[in-house]
Amino acid sequence: MPLEEYKRKRRFNETPEPQGEIVKKPGHRFVVQKHEATRLHYDFRLEMEGVLKSWAVPKGPSLDPADKRLAMQVEDHPVSYFDFEGIIPEDNYGAGTVMVWDVGTWQPLSPIAVQGKYVPGTDAEAATMLAKGDLKFRLDGQKLKGDFALVKMKGRRPGSKGNEWLLIKKHDDYAVDGYDIDAYDESVLTHRSLAAIAGDAGSAEWKSRPSGRGKLKAAWLADAVARLDQKKNKKIQRRKNKKAA
Ligand code: MN
């Protein structure tokens, strides 16, 4: 059961994260979330087999083929996690601030290159490559584009859980030498920096946001609504104070 570990780790009455289910229709989206938890890292997620296959990348993805980025495979996440941005409350699993750093679509690449170039592959090939620990894919995101590979590291290093992969950019037109991820501290959903999301009163009060507006699917939307409500409440209060004076 791919989502069991995800659910086991979370208390959904305390965290705004989605509970989620396995989705039947095949999708090919990807998301990278910047996550300021105990340690800053990026969560790289590919929509695959009805869930988000997930890797925690401490240094984040890079467009420089010289950077081989350590990527720890973590539990599958529900597809509804796709646009989660906001704050996971203290004392909860992964407590901290989450930014939707990049979104887009991906396609599997055939394991066999044609004349040195990678060509589109099938979902079946992707499933086989994932199982073998050498997944090649093409990204079409707002920040990340071009061909990549996730390669599982062979041989366990002492203390490792055997979940270590490397995220590697292939050489193509989208490769950028010396890519500096810190220069791109902006949400693709709300254009906020991580600090802005963390310090945002709307985000911080996620849990106490007014209900009765129907279920808001995306946390960032809930944030925006909460902030608006706050402004409105302040205005009403000011008007009341004026009347009283
Ligand atoms: Mn994370």
Side-chain angles (χ1 to χ4, degrees):
M1 294 290 119
L3 292 180
E4 255 172 22
E5 194 184 350
Y6 173 82
K7 291 183 177 174
R8 186 176 56 76
K9 284 178 171 169
R10 287 169 178 79
R11 291 170 294 189
F12 293 105
N13 56 338
E14 290 191 18
T15 177
E17 295 166 287
Q19 195 150 357
E21 281 159 15
I22 296 165
V23 172
K24 289 270 155 62
K25 67 173 195 318
H28 287 94
R29 297 178 299 168
F30 84 92
V31 59
V32 180
Q33 278 149 324
K34 188 174 181 179
H35 186 183
E36 177 97 76
T38 315
R39 240 185 95 171
L40 178 77
H41 62 274
Y42 292 76
D43 290 297
F44 182 80
R45 311 187 198 279
L46 292 175
E47 186 177 19
M48 210 174 168
E49 298 165 5
V51 293
L52 297 174
K53 296 285 172 193
S54 299
W55 289 261
V57 187
K59 290 187 178 173
S62 176
L63 289 177
D64 187 343
D67 294 332
K68 292 177 173 39
R69 290 291 157 83
L70 181 65
M72 263 90 72
Q73 191 171 18
V74 297
E75 74 275 15
D76 296 344
H77 278 51
V79 167
S80 50
Y81 208 91
F82 190 79
D83 45 15
F84 175 72
E85 181 171 285
I87 293 169
I88 302 170
E90 244 178 85
D91 298 327
N92 282 276
Y93 180 75
T97 310
V98 179
M99 169 206 284
V100 176
W101 186 80
D102 197 18
V103 292
T105 55
W106 71 280
Q107 67 179 141
L109 295 175
S110 173
I112 301 135
V114 177
Q115 290 168 340
K117 292 223 189 267
Y118 290 100
V119 294
T122 64
D123 284 349
E125 282 176 315
T128 307
M129 287 190 286
L130 182 71
K132 280 190 178 161
D134 187 358
L135 177 61
K136 294 179 175 70
F137 52 93
R138 186 166 291 165
L139 297 181
D140 185 13
Q142 295 186 38
K143 292 186 174 103
L144 298 181
K145 288 180 197 293
D147 297 353
F148 290 79
L150 268 164
V151 183
K152 192 168 186 179
M153 290 169 79
K154 302 246 159 65
R156 288 167 148 222
R157 286 189 281 137
S160 101
K161 288 183 194 163
N163 63 343
E164 294 168 329
W165 297 57
L166 293 172
L167 177 62
I168 305 161
K169 177 80 193 75
K170 298 281 186 186
H171 289 275
D172 60 18
D173 292 345
Y174 297 106
V176 176
D177 286 342
Y179 183 78
D180 176 17
I181 197 163
D182 293 332
Y184 304 93
D185 178 34
E186 189 185 278
S187 162
V188 291
L189 292 186
T190 60
H191 304 292
R192 292 180 295 175
S193 67
L194 198 67
I197 297 168
D200 188 299
S203 293
E205 289 169 13
W206 207 99
K207 283 204 290 183
S208 59
R209 79 181 191 279
S211 56
R213 276 176 185 267
K215 265 202 174 163
L216 287 169
K217 228 180 163 188
W220 64 270
L221 192 60
D223 287 348
V225 170
R227 257 179 292 136
L228 252 164
D229 283 347
Q230 223 182 15
K231 248 192 212 163
K232 214 195 283 166
N233 288 343
K234 267 189 196 153
K235 235 187 214 167
I236 291 166
Q237 196 56 48
R238 261 203 304 271
R239 228 176 284 151
K240 274 186 190 163
N241 291 347
K242 242 188 203 168
K243 266 187 191 168

